[in-house]
Amino acid sequence: MKELGMLVFYVRQPRPDARYWAGREILAAVDAVGWPIAWIVVIRSVDVPVGVMGPFFISVCVLSALTRLRRALWENHRYWFTTWKWGRYVFAIWVAGMAMKLAMGV
């Protein structure tokens, strides 16, 4: 009989609690609601007919905003800023674009 092998699970360590500082709840609430609202604006600005998928994704964004807001306000030590996570990459791409623009002399 052929042996199939062994299934191995790797368990990640949970992230440590975020440090508390004054005003963290307010900024976390803005960050928690801002990203889903930005996605709703993107979905609403699409010019092609989206059918039932547009309202579906808008409802997913609203549910996401509510769960993120709950975590930002009541479990603030477990909330990690999305703006900081993705802003670094967007900023790096912007800097690379500006460097190319300067190199081309535009």
Side-chain angles (χ1 to χ4, degrees):
M1 188 155 98
K2 195 183 241 187
E3 186 175 324
L4 295 175
M6 179 174 37
L7 180 64
V8 179
F9 290 103
Y10 292 100
V11 179
R12 246 184 0 173
Q13 292 293 330
R15 291 177 92 176
D17 290 349
R19 290 188 300 144
Y20 178 79
W21 36 272
R24 190 179 199 290
E25 292 92 0
I26 295 169
L27 285 178
V30 169
D31 184 74
V33 176
W35 283 95
I37 287 176
W39 280 111
I40 289 172
V41 168
V42 167
I43 293 168
R44 298 281 296 177
S45 66
V46 173
D47 291 334
V48 296
V50 291
V52 73
M53 293 308 290
F56 171 74
F57 282 119
I58 288 174
S59 64
V60 168
C61 288
V62 169
L63 288 175
S64 173
L66 291 174
T67 57
R68 290 166 51 93
L69 184 62
R70 181 191 59 80
R71 188 179 326 131
L73 293 177
W74 285 283
E75 297 175 19
N76 193 270
H77 60 282
R78 288 288 177 204
Y79 186 80
W80 294 90
F81 288 92
T82 305
T83 303
W84 177 247
K85 179 181 180 180
W86 292 105
R88 292 181 282 183
Y89 301 115
V90 171
F91 182 72
I93 292 170
W94 179 77
V95 167
M98 288 293 119
M100 287 190 291
K101 199 173 195 179
L102 285 172
M104 292 177 67
V106 175

